């Protein structure tokens, strides 16, 4: 079989349908948001080395929509992430979730998280930040997005990226990071963590974390809070004492309805108070 080039692969890749294989079975508490009154589905985002797929949702009528970048978990842009974009679209936002791992592989088709981790580890932060810049550009030029009303939110892997993109692009008006890792060892592909950019951050970020998260310890949360004190961003971190990691993931056993609903309410208020 002829070897497929990376450029050809990303140009022919599409967003997932359904939930990632690694997250089966799906919880009975899963939230499903319909597409009535919306424009939804897969789109192609032009990037430096071709095109990447993304899922977008927006109101069917109107224009000049505030933009929300929705950043995936480790499981890719599967049904849960797509549903979140529809929730935003129902509220009048243009929400876009680009496939940020697609050059390294389609993680939605892998059945084990241990197969997914090595792929995600190969994703360079510089590539992600560049792809998000391209996504914002596409949203403004091709999807009736308002460049002056740009927000970002991300979950787990995407939570870390939320902090980093806000530092990379000061035009972001507000961000909400859900249980994204704050501290880590620098590598060539991932040279910085949120704690490294906190003191110079200018974009207001709301961090939502779980007190029972075994992967993101409370001492790292306190370290981040301390660094944020010297920034001009007015960022805040909320810790839900009894919540585990991934408490917003309604399709998984980690879901905590009370904390998830409170976090969503806080997100919407945060966007509103910061002009998005």
């Amino acid at each position: 079989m002829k070897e497929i080039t990376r450029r050809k692969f990303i140009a022919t890749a599409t967003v997932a349908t359904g939930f990632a294989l690694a997250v089966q079975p799906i919880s009975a508490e899963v939230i499903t948001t319909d597409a009535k009154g919306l424009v939804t589905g897969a789109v192609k985002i032009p990037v430096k080395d071709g095109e990447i797929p993304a899922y977008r949702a927006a109101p069917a009528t109107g224009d000049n929509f505030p933009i929300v970048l929705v950043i995936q978990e480790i499981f890719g842009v599967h049904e849960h992430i797509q549903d979140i974009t529809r929730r935003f679209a129902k509220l009048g936002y243009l929400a876009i979730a680009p496939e940020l791992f697609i050059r390294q592989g389609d993680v939605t088709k892998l059945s084990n998280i241990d197969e997914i981790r090595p792929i995600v580890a190969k994703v360079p932060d510089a590539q992600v930040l560049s792809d998000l810049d391209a996504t914002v550009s596409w949203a403004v030029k091709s999807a009736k997005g308002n460049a002056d009303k740009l927000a970002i939110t991300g979950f787990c892997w995407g939570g870390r990226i939320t902090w980093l993109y806000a530092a990379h692009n000061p035009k972001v008006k507000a961000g909400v990071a859900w249980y994204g890792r704050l501290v880590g060892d620098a590598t060539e592909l991932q040279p910085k963590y949120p704690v490294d950019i906190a003191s110079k951050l200018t974009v207001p970020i709301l961090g939502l974390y779980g007190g029972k998260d075994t992967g993101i310890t409370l001492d790292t949360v306190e370290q981040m809070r301390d660094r944020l004190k010297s920034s001009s961003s007015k960022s805040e971190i909320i810790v839900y004492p009894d919540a585990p990691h991934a408490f917003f993931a309604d399709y998984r056993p980690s879901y905590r309805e009370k904390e998830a609903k409170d976090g969503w309410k806080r997100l919407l208020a945060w966007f509103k108070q910061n002009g998005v």
Side-chain angles (χ1 to χ4, degrees):
M1 192 172 84
K2 206 172 176 182
E3 187 180 346
I4 190 165
T5 65
R6 188 171 93 150
R7 186 179 178 118
K8 280 183 180 174
F9 172 73
I10 66 170
T12 57
T14 58
V15 292
T17 54
F19 289 91
L21 284 180
V23 301
Q24 310 291 339
I26 304 306
S27 167
E29 294 186 90
V30 68
I31 295 169
T32 303
T33 306
D34 66 50
K36 188 176 180 182
L38 306 178
V39 174
T40 65
V43 295
K44 297 284 187 183
I45 307 291
V47 292
K48 286 181 179 177
D49 53 349
E51 293 177 323
I52 60 168
Y55 184 90
R56 69 87 170 80
T61 57
D63 58 17
N64 213 31
F65 304 118
I67 302 164
V68 182
L69 299 173
V70 180
I71 314 302
Q72 67 207 61
E73 319 148 295
I74 197 172
F75 304 112
V77 182
H78 67 138
E79 177 56 29
H80 174 61
I81 298 299
Q82 294 174 27
D83 197 89
I84 292 168
T85 69
R86 294 193 294 272
R87 295 175 208 178
F88 278 119
K90 292 277 188 180
L91 298 169
Y93 291 96
L94 162 63
I96 315 168
E99 283 276 17
L100 298 169
F101 306 159
I102 206 68
R103 295 173 186 77
Q104 285 70 35
D106 185 355
V107 296
T108 64
K109 302 292 191 293
L110 300 176
S111 59
N112 191 305
I113 195 167
D114 292 329
E115 295 175 282
I116 294 173
R117 283 196 179 104
I119 288 174
V120 176
K122 294 175 186 172
V123 180
D125 287 346
Q127 170 191 294
V128 172
L129 300 178
S130 175
D131 284 354
L132 289 175
D133 285 343
T135 302
V136 173
S137 179
W138 178 89
V140 174
K141 292 175 185 173
S142 307
K144 304 176 182 176
N146 184 343
D148 295 324
K149 292 192 173 186
L150 173 63
I152 183 170
T153 190
F155 305 84
C156 186
W157 181 89
R160 172 180 172 268
I161 295 300
T162 296
W163 291 103
L164 296 184
Y165 190 69
H168 166 79
N169 182 1
K171 291 181 180 177
V172 174
K173 285 277 196 276
V176 177
W178 301 77
Y179 35 83
R181 196 173 174 195
L182 298 167
V183 175
D185 296 324
T187 66
E188 187 178 348
L189 296 181
Q190 291 96 29
K192 290 185 179 178
Y193 279 79
V195 74
D196 301 315
I197 56 87
S199 61
K200 294 180 181 176
L201 194 65
T202 59
V203 175
I205 303 292
L206 176 64
L208 300 172
Y209 288 79
K212 298 284 175 66
D213 190 329
T214 56
I216 301 171
T217 56
L218 288 176
D219 64 307
T220 64
V221 173
E222 290 308 317
Q223 198 177 334
M224 186 69 179
R225 275 178 170 157
D226 191 56
R227 295 279 180 95
L228 286 169
K229 287 175 186 173
S230 58
S231 83
S232 62
S233 67
K234 297 183 180 177
S235 296
E236 297 176 18
I237 295 180
I238 304 292
V239 175
Y240 295 102
D242 298 321
H245 188 73
F247 60 84
F248 191 78
D250 50 67
Y251 65 99
R252 294 170 69 186
S254 57
Y255 179 58
R256 298 294 183 271
E257 183 180 19
K258 180 184 172 185
E259 288 86 346
K261 284 184 173 178
D262 184 77
W264 183 253
K265 191 167 76 174
R266 288 177 184 272
L267 174 150
L268 296 177
W270 189 259
F271 282 3
K272 190 172 182 180
Q273 78 183 56
N274 288 292
V276 185

